[in-house]
Amino acid sequence: MRVQSVGWRRLDPRMCLVNLRWLLPPLGIIALTALASGGVNWEDHKLQIVSALLFVYLTCSEMIRWRTTRYRVTDEQVEVHSGLLWRRHVAILRDRIRTVDVTSGPVHRMFGLSIVTMGTGQALRTDRRDQVKLDAVSAAEAMTLRAELLPRAQAATTIPAPAEPHAPAEPHEAAEPSEAAEPRQAAALNEAVAPREAVEPRQAAALNEAVAPREAVEPAAEEIARIDPRWVRYAPLSPLVFVIGLAPLTQAYNLAERLGVPVDIEGAVLGAVAFLESAPGWLFVVFVLMMLVAGAIGTVLLFTESWWRFRLEREPRTGTLRVTRGLLTTRSFTLEERRLRGAELIEPFMLRWGKGTRLKALASGLRHTLDGPRGGSGALLPPAPRQMAHATAASALGERESPLLPTRLRTHPRAALRRRMFRAALASAAAIVAAAVLAALTGWSAVWSMAVAAAVAVPVSVLLAADSYRSLGHTLHGAYLVTRSGALVRRTVALQRTGVIGWTITRSPFQRRSGLANIAATTAAGTLGAYTVRDVGYGAGLVLADEAVPGLLAQFIERPEQ
C-alpha cells in the first residue's frame, strides 16, 4: 500500500549540504601535509582517501533519506514515513507528545536548519523508539512545529474559574483537558459556562466580545532564570580540568602520526620519566601549573559553548518549562509541568568547595545521561550559586521557598558514621597493601612505600567518611520527601510524595546488626527510578515511608496498642 502524497511534506533539501562537514577534515589534513612537505604523496593518504569516499557515501545516503522521508501533521497525529529498502512508518498521537526539542549545530545554523525531536516521555531507554526526529527542517518550520504540537494548558472554548488569591500553583497535578476535571473544577467550569447558555442573545454576544480579546492575546512567557557571565568562574571547578589539560599532548601525538612523523611512545614515556628524575622540582611544578591553566581554559570554553544565552522560561500557554542555551550549537528543551515531580541539587566536591551547584528536574520520561558540564537530561540551571539554585527550584516547582534547603534535614544515627569509618579503615589497609606489593615488584623500600601510602590514604579516607556522614539527611517538607547523601558528589533530592509509587527496603547483615536500613522511594520520575534514604534507623525509616505515603506500608508496620 502506497503512502498518499496529499498533505505530506519533505525535509529541507539543504540537509544534503550539511554533510560537507565530513569532507573538511580529510581535505584539511591533506592540505596541511602539502604545505609542510611541499607535495602530496597519495600513498601516505590512504586514510584521507577512504574518508573522502566515506563522504561520498554519506552524501548519497542523505540524498536518498531526503528523497524517501515524508512527514505530516494532522489534527490527530504526527506521521513520518522513511526508508528505501527497509521502510519505516511512525505515527504518534498529538495528545501524547510531551516534548518538542529544537537543536541546531554550527553547520545546521549556517544553512538555516534545525533538528526537531518530538518525544512522548514514555520510556527511559535510549533506543529512541519513543521519539520522532526530523533532521532537518528550516528554522522557521521548526518553531512552527513546536508551537503547533505542544499541548495547550487550557481549552480555548472554556472559561477558567478565577483562581483563589495566594493559592500555590501545582502544575504537576494538572491533567489533560479530557481527564483534568476534578469535581470542584468541573463544578466551577459548569457554573462559569452555564450562564452563557441561559442568557439572551444580546447578553451572550456581550459576553463573547468580553472574552474574545482575552483568548486572542496569549500570555507572555515568564522568565525564571538567565545566564550570568560571572557563573563562568564555576567552569574550572570540575575534574575535567585535569583531563582537558592533557588533551594538547594527545592532539600533538595524533597530528604527528597523521603527518608521518615517527613517534616512539615507549621511548617518550621512559625519556619523560628520566627527565623528571633529573630535572629540578620547580620545573615539575611549572608543568603541572601549565596543565591546569590549559585545563581551566578548556573548561571555560566548554561552559561557554554549552550554556551561553541560557534562559529558563515558563510558558503559560502550553504549560511547559523551556530551556534555551548554546553558543555554537543551540538547544531548546521543553518539559511539561504536569510531569514535574521535584528537583535535584548535584554538588560535586570541587563545585561544592566553590559554593556552587547544579539543578536538575525530576520528571517522568527523562533519559539516562551523564550529569556533566553540558547539563545532562533535565538540567534546569548551569553551575551556579546555591542561592540562585534554590530560588530557581522554588519558582520552577511553584513553591514559595525551595524544598531543597538543608536546614530542615534530620541527622542519621551514629551507627551510620561507624559504618563509614569501618569502610575508611578497609580502604586505607588496601592502599597500604598495594604499596607493599608495588615496592616488592619495583625494588623500592617497602617500609617507606607503606609509610607514604598510610600518610596519604588514612587522612583522606577518614575525611571522606566524615564528610559522607555529614551529608546524610532526610525530612518531609510539605508535599515533598527530601533526602541527601554522597561525599565526592553530594545529591539533594526533593521528590513529591504523590510521585512515590512504592518502597524498597534493603538491609545488609552489617546494617541489621547496627539497626540501619536503606529506604528507597521508587518513582517514574527522574532517570534513576528510585531515590534512597541511606543508613537511616530501621524504625525511623519505616515511619518516614508511612508518613510520606500513608497506607502504603500500613500492613507491614506494627504499632503499639494504646
Side-chain angles (χ1 to χ4, degrees):
M1 178 179 179
R2 297 183 59 185
V3 178
Q4 298 179 2
S5 59
V6 178
W8 292 84
R9 291 178 282 181
R10 290 183 178 178
L11 301 176
D12 197 290
R14 289 173 293 179
M15 56 172 279
C16 300
L17 300 177
V18 174
N19 277 326
L20 289 173
R21 69 186 188 275
W22 299 105
L23 188 60
L24 295 179
L27 289 183
I29 294 173
I30 293 174
L32 182 62
T33 306
L35 291 176
S37 60
V40 177
N41 183 5
W42 295 103
E43 292 294 329
D44 297 335
H45 293 282
K46 296 179 181 179
L47 179 61
Q48 285 71 39
I49 295 174
V50 172
S51 300
L53 294 177
L54 180 61
F55 158 77
V56 175
Y57 165 76
L58 290 174
T59 302
C60 294
S61 64
E62 284 296 291
M63 294 181 65
I64 294 174
R65 186 169 71 89
W66 171 77
R67 183 68 178 82
T68 59
T69 301
R70 302 284 191 278
Y71 72 96
R72 70 176 177 182
V73 179
T74 65
D75 293 337
E76 294 81 17
Q77 60 186 8
V78 178
E79 299 177 78
V80 178
H81 177 81
S82 61
L84 180 62
L85 299 179
W86 288 270
R87 295 184 178 181
R88 184 168 180 252
H89 187 87
V90 180
I92 297 181
L93 295 176
R94 289 187 61 170
D95 58 1
R96 303 304 302 169
I97 294 177
R98 296 294 179 261
T99 59
V100 181
D101 300 336
V102 180
T103 307
S104 183
V107 182
H108 284 77
R109 293 173 61 189
M110 185 184 303
F111 293 101
L113 302 176
S114 296
I115 301 173
V116 179
T117 305
M118 294 164 278
T120 61
Q122 295 299 311
L124 297 175
R125 302 167 301 191
T126 57
D127 55 8
R128 304 296 181 184
R129 283 185 289 181
D130 63 328
Q131 291 186 346
V132 170
K133 187 175 182 180
L134 300 179
D135 183 9
V137 297
S138 64
E141 176 71 8
M143 299 311 297
T144 301
L145 286 172
R146 181 183 181 276
E148 290 180 355
L149 296 178
L150 284 177
R152 292 184 177 269
Q154 297 177 350
T157 58
T158 61
I159 305 175
E164 296 181 2
H166 309 296
E170 295 183 3
H172 53 272
E173 295 182 358
E176 299 285 343
S178 60
E179 303 173 357
E182 295 181 357
R184 294 182 181 177
Q185 296 173 340
L189 284 174
N190 291 333
E191 291 176 2
V193 176
R196 296 182 59 186
E197 300 175 354
V199 294
E200 297 179 357
R202 293 183 181 178
Q203 296 173 336
L207 268 177
N208 290 333
E209 291 178 1
V211 173
R214 290 193 302 172
E215 295 177 350
V217 179
E218 296 180 352
E222 173 194 351
E223 182 179 289
I224 298 177
R226 66 164 55 211
I227 189 69
D228 187 337
R230 293 175 295 180
W231 296 352
V232 75
R233 68 181 184 270
Y234 296 111
L237 302 180
S238 168
L240 281 179
V241 71
F242 304 102
V243 178
I244 296 178
L246 295 176
L249 298 178
T250 59
Q251 294 300 323
Y253 168 74
N254 292 333
L255 181 60
E257 187 180 40
R258 290 181 179 275
L259 293 176
V261 178
V263 178
D264 184 8
I265 297 297
E266 183 179 358
V269 172
L270 294 177
V273 173
F275 174 76
L276 291 176
E277 290 179 349
S278 59
W282 64 266
L283 190 60
F284 177 76
V285 174
V286 170
F287 173 77
V288 173
L289 291 178
M290 291 177 61
M291 182 188 69
L292 292 178
V293 170
I297 295 174
T299 53
V300 168
L301 294 177
L302 181 63
F303 179 93
T304 304
E305 196 283 326
S306 299
W307 294 104
W308 199 250
R309 294 184 294 189
F310 162 83
R311 290 184 68 183
L312 172 62
E313 298 174 318
R314 173 179 284 110
E315 297 182 327
R317 180 184 66 85
T318 58
T320 59
L321 297 175
R322 183 185 182 190
V323 175
T324 56
R325 61 188 176 94
L327 179 62
L328 300 178
T329 300
T330 59
R331 305 169 181 88
S332 174
F333 166 76
T334 56
L335 175 63
E336 197 175 8
E337 287 191 87
R338 76 185 195 93
R339 294 192 296 116
L340 192 61
R341 292 293 180 267
E344 178 181 13
L345 285 182
I346 304 173
E347 301 174 280
F349 176 76
M350 296 178 64
L351 187 60
R352 179 157 43 110
W353 174 75
K355 298 182 179 180
T357 185
R358 296 199 300 264
L359 180 64
K360 180 179 177 181
L362 298 184
S364 58
L366 296 181
R367 294 181 173 274
H368 292 283
T369 55
L370 296 177
D371 299 318
R374 292 185 179 273
S377 180
L380 294 180
L381 204 64
R386 294 172 185 167
Q387 296 83 351
M388 183 62 190
H390 286 299
T392 303
S395 181
L397 296 174
E399 303 291 340
R400 294 184 177 179
E401 61 177 354
S402 172
L404 295 163
L405 291 173
T407 55
R408 313 183 189 92
L409 297 180
R410 307 173 189 172
T411 59
H412 285 214
R414 302 289 291 183
L417 176 61
R418 291 194 294 269
R419 278 175 52 81
R420 281 151 178 76
M421 288 300 177
F422 178 71
R423 294 173 184 173
L426 291 181
S428 301
I432 294 173
V433 171
V437 173
L438 183 62
L441 295 177
T442 58
W444 296 344
S445 173
V447 176
W448 280 105
S449 299
M450 295 174 66
V452 171
V456 174
V458 172
V460 170
S461 299
V462 171
L463 289 176
L464 287 177
D467 183 64
S468 177
Y469 175 73
R470 283 195 301 268
S471 297
L472 289 177
H474 69 278
T475 190
L476 291 178
H477 173 65
Y480 296 90
L481 166 67
V482 185
T483 177
R484 187 180 70 181
S485 63
L488 294 178
V489 179
R490 188 169 70 185
R491 297 175 181 269
T492 308
V493 176
L495 176 64
Q496 288 179 4
R497 294 154 65 177
T498 55
V500 178
I501 59 178
W503 296 97
T504 301
I505 303 172
T506 57
R507 305 183 72 194
S508 68
F510 297 102
Q511 285 179 314
R512 290 197 299 269
R513 184 176 180 181
S514 302
L516 302 176
N518 290 342
I519 311 293
T522 58
T523 178
T527 58
L528 300 179
Y531 295 92
T532 305
V533 182
R534 301 187 180 277
D535 286 335
V536 66
Y538 182 56
L542 293 179
V543 172
L544 173 72
D546 185 59
E547 291 179 356
V549 187
L552 190 59
L553 290 180
Q555 57 181 326
F556 304 104
I557 298 178
E558 296 182 359
R559 301 184 184 276
E561 297 182 359
Q562 299 295 335

